[in-house]
Amino acid sequence: MTSSPSGVRVRFAPSPTGMFHVGNARSLLYNWVLAKQSGGTLVLRVEDTDAERSKPEWVQGILDAMAWLGCGPDEYEGPLFQSAFVQHHRDAIDKLLAAGRAYYCDCAREQVVGRTGSEHKGYDGFCRERGLASAPGRAVRFRVPDEGQTVVRDLVRGEPTFDNATIEDFVVARGDGSPVFLLANVVDDMVMGITHVIRAEEHLPNTPKQQLLWQALGHEPPVWAHAPILVNEKRQKLSKRRDRVALEDFRAEGYLADAMRNYLMLLGWAPSGDREIVPWDDIMNEFRLSDVNPSPAFFDVKKLRAFNGEYIRAMSVEEFISACQPWLRGEFAPWRPGDYDEAAFAAVAPLAQTRVAVLGEIVPMVDFLFLPEPPSDEAAWAKAMTGEAVGLLGEVVAAFETVAWDTDSLKRTVEELGAARGLKLGKAQAPVRVAVTGRTIGLPLFESLEVLGRERTTNRLRAAITRLG
Ligand code: GLU
């Protein structure tokens, strides 16, 4: 492996066992920023040793997420897989055994649980001095020093200190010879020359054990940084079963990568001044792992949404139109590609841009332009098509046949016809809106009608009158 000029080598080491968790995205960003700031190198290692849960589509999801966030690895010849390092894992286990730093153990799980209560938490060291040889079914355990302390140098947490006496002789290879995650993860980092391990707090309890392995294998341990756990509004740790955590879902709803990056960086860290929405360059200049707060960070979807709205409004109209494409004629569009009309969208885009917080919200706003028929929403009909509606719609459609087709003339027409029936504009335009767009809320109505055109507008008004009998 090559080394970078600064010597800093970080890695992103996700497991391909599900959707891409926002906590993983935050770890990726912290790693990526540190690599960029220091002129170092970020590498990707896919930790696929859980063969049952690892799937190729999740590997693709990792690559897509990294590309979307703009945080790709610096060295890449296809992903490096943990499973490809298995010989290194075996060699490390042999080395520990040869040095007397590990031993075989044939205790059944029930025995281990039954005998606890000694100084060591968990396993009590029963097989430590039995000198068992290798045999099928025998696990390998690491011999944790009885005395002393393991001091972890953690950029976020200072120096968490663990009494070795409280650490059990943990398993490094299972009875079938397969290395456990804890060991594989350390050996890979060693082989890859990793200098800084930046990951989520969930792994902090593993860290003293892993650091002991680094030392027993004759290496200087890396610098660690454990970013704070993410919690929901009830201060519960985010759970993929209960909370919204999948980056893929946020992306499909129309969150912007820029807003996401900015927001994720703040889960544990704050830029200078009283700012939250900050240019990426400022984040790159200011971010320090040592400023990350170790307390749990609230992953506030409402706030993320507000961020996203601000990022959307800060775009030029051209950027907004381009960002909306996946919802207009891409994978998320509910109409046929041929029904999309670029000029029509361009005409309403400035109106839509100020009204959406996530890009996916443009779909219900503009579907009246691209679906052959407006969506039929019974509740909207019930609300708007009251007593005066049929009569008023009849007059509106007659006037719309000949009126000049521009926003002001259309508005004036409905205003005057409504006034003649004692209706304010808001009341008078409601049945027109529902007849034409199928909805009670949406973009400013008369601008919308101007873009939709005389023919489609009057056809829909007539269809509504027929429907109302
Ligand atoms: N594969 C582990 C995870 O996804 C990463 C562990 C690490 O970063 O050291 O949680």
Side-chain angles (χ1 to χ4, degrees), residues 99 173 175 184 194 197 377 403 441 464:
I194 298 306
V197 170
D377 176 343
V403 71
I441 47 168

Side-chain angles (χ1 to χ4, degrees), residues 11 13-15 24 45 47 181 185 189 197-199 203:
R11 84 316 193 252
S15 304
N24 258 354
R45 178 176 75 242
E47 301 210 310
F181 163 75
N185 179 263
D189 284 343
V197 170
I198 306 167
R199 58 187 180 181
H203 292 285

Side-chain angles (χ1 to χ4, degrees), residues 11-17 24 27 31 45-49 82 181 185-186 189 197-200 202-203 206 210 224 226:
R11 84 316 193 252
F12 177 51
S15 304
T17 53
N24 258 354
S27 295
N31 275 289
R45 178 176 75 242
V46 178
E47 301 210 310
D48 62 339
T49 35
Q82 182 156 67
F181 163 75
N185 179 263
V186 164
D189 284 343
V197 170
I198 306 167
R199 58 187 180 181
E202 284 83 345
H203 292 285
N206 290 333
Q210 293 196 305
W224 310 89
H226 289 90

Side-chain angles (χ1 to χ4, degrees), residues 79-124:
L80 291 173
F81 288 101
Q82 182 156 67
S83 53
F85 288 75
V86 75
Q87 194 53 51
H88 290 288
H89 307 154
R90 298 227 161 92
D91 292 347
I93 293 162
D94 289 344
K95 192 170 167 192
L96 293 172
L97 284 163
R101 300 302 309 267
Y103 57 88
Y104 285 100
C105 167
D106 65 357
C107 294
R109 193 168 173 72
E110 312 77 69
Q111 284 172 281
V112 173
V113 174
R115 281 200 312 265
T116 50
S118 70
E119 201 182 1
H120 281 270
K121 260 201 222 153
Y123 184 61
D124 68 349

Side-chain angles (χ1 to χ4, degrees), residues 8 14 28 74 153 232-233 270 359 361 396 400 407 430 463:
V8 169
L28 167 63
D74 296 304
R153 193 173 145 221
N232 66 16
E233 68 284 353
L359 296 176
E361 288 171 358
V396 169
F400 276 10
T407 301

